[in-house]
Amino acid sequence: MLDDFFVRALLAGIGLALTTGPLGCLVVWRRMAYFGDTMAHSALLGVALSLFFEINLLLSVFGVAVAVSLLLLFLQRRQGLSADSLLGILSHSTLAIGLVLVAFMSWVRIDLIAFLFGDILAVTTTDILLIWLGGAFVVGCLVLLWRPLVASTVSHDLAEAEGLNPGRARLFFMLLMALVIAIAMKIVGILLITALLIIPAATARRFSASPERMAVLASLLGALAVVGGLFGSLQADTPSGPSIVVAALALFIASLLPSLGKGLAQTAKPDGERR
């Protein structure tokens, strides 16, 4: 018989995985993994501002993530720096400012490990409700924006020519990313959010013939990683958040084995037998 806190962790993790699946696919297609990392790092600044001004944690993290997204768009249009340079500056700057602010607040006791790596076993019923309702909102928005997002991923100019307004779709995509990171922070932590976004999507890519199939499969693989990671954590007494990411990594490695085996077999053949 599973304890109540473990069941709550399963429900929360699966709800988050179903949301990050299609969102992670867009991150992988658009090669925006570093952007997801930047958004995640900015969450610590949101935590620090929440404690300093005594405001709601979720709203503070979401607000900072949105501000970073808008600042990135502004700098990309006005400055000569490349996107990866701007992301590097924003990522490390927001993380460092957050840590400095936390250090200044000597009157506040804060468990940085819990924020960095999450504590899915501590989720409440209210957290589960927030995850599922927020996830349903995000997935619903992605359904509405799916065509312009996928089209602009293939060709920004073609999407504009078809009147799909890819710039607006990208802005909404960034806002959805900010919302998911604010929700996910408590579960898998600031440093592991990007891994949960990218690894299941990268695994699903190997078995998908269409964008829609990849999105669904990424959600299912993410949910499987959550279940496997939590049960593995229970058996081995390891941290739950990192265990979920390790389970996702194991699925990714397993997806590589057939092609690796085929490649080794071809390498082992004499040159004359390779066709």
Side-chain angles (χ1 to χ4, degrees), residues 4 10 16 37 41 45 65 68 95 109 116 128 135 149 160 164 166 177 181 214 217 230 235 252 259-260 264:
D4 290 343
L10 283 172
L16 180 61
D37 215 31
H41 286 178
L45 177 57
V68 169
L95 182 62
R109 288 183 175 272
L116 293 175
I128 295 174
L149 284 171
E160 278 190 337
L164 296 176
M177 279 280 291
I181 286 172
M214 180 175 165
L217 187 55
L230 283 175
Q235 294 296 322
F252 176 72
S259 60
L260 287 176
L264 289 173

Side-chain angles (χ1 to χ4, degrees), residues 147-259:
R147 186 164 174 255
L149 284 171
V150 173
S152 61
T153 300
V154 177
S155 172
H156 184 87
D157 294 335
L158 182 60
E160 278 190 337
E162 293 182 358
L164 296 176
N165 201 338
R168 184 180 62 184
R170 184 188 183 195
L171 176 60
F172 278 109
F173 169 69
M174 288 182 170
L175 295 178
L176 293 177
M177 279 280 291
L179 179 59
V180 168
I181 286 172
I183 295 174
M185 183 186 63
K186 184 174 182 179
I187 297 179
V188 292
I190 293 168
L191 298 182
L192 303 180
I193 292 173
T194 313
L196 195 59
L197 279 166
I198 295 173
I199 298 177
T203 307
R205 191 174 192 173
R206 302 183 57 79
F207 305 102
S208 305
S210 68
E212 292 75 18
R213 181 177 178 181
M214 180 175 165
V216 172
L217 187 55
S219 294
L220 296 177
L221 288 170
L224 182 60
V226 167
V227 174
L230 283 175
F231 275 100
S233 172
L234 183 65
Q235 294 296 322
D237 193 24
T238 54
S240 53
S243 297
I244 291 172
V245 177
V246 169
L249 176 62
L251 291 173
F252 176 72
I253 294 174
S255 74
L256 297 177
L257 293 180
S259 60

